[in-house]
């Protein structure tokens, strides 16, 4: 989840409909209200942690929502999975 109202509204809608979901909150970007939903807090550079979590939760779909400014990748401490994905992300 990034910032703004959209991720919270999306999570509230899923919860009210009984749709299974987990919140992936981007550290430093997600609003505090996102903590109300089951999920995980990750840093932008933790792709390995994210992929392990999604596999553990048996996720078969992902929706990205919220405001996230383009980060300065040169200042990030990327895990090896994020480093491998980086060329595809910055296109």
């Amino acid at each position: 989840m990034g910032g703004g109202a959209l991720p919270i509204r999306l999570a509230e809608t899923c919860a009210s409909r009984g749709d299974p979901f987990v919140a992936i909150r981007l550290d430093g970007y997600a609003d505090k209200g996102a903590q109300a939903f089951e999920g995980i807090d990750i840093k932008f550079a933790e792709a390995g942690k994210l992929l392990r979590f999604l596999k553990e939760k048996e996720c078969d779909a992902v929706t990205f929502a919220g405001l996230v400014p383009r980060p300065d990748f040169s200042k990030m401490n990327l895990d090896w999975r994020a480093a491998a994905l980086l060329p595809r992300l910055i296109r």
Side-chain angles (χ1 to χ4, degrees):
M1 296 177 131
L6 180 61
I8 305 291
R9 294 279 311 267
L10 183 61
E12 289 172 342
T13 300
C14 288
S16 71
R17 292 174 34 175
D19 294 335
F21 73 98
V22 291
I24 299 160
R25 296 174 292 269
L26 288 175
D27 190 32
Y29 300 103
D31 291 348
K32 292 185 190 302
Q35 293 295 329
F37 305 101
E38 176 193 357
I40 188 173
D41 296 300
I42 64 164
K43 292 180 174 43
F44 200 94
E46 296 178 317
K49 181 178 178 181
L50 170 60
L51 293 174
R52 283 188 303 276
F53 178 77
L54 292 174
K55 187 173 183 175
E56 174 187 307
K57 294 295 183 178
E58 299 179 354
C59 290
D60 61 1
V62 176
T63 301
F64 294 94
L67 302 171
V68 178
R70 187 175 185 93
D72 182 352
F73 292 107
S74 68
K75 294 181 180 178
M76 288 188 172
N77 186 17
L78 302 174
D79 69 12
W80 71 271
R81 286 190 187 245
L85 292 171
L86 186 60
R88 288 186 254 168
L89 294 174
I90 60 174
R91 285 186 189 168

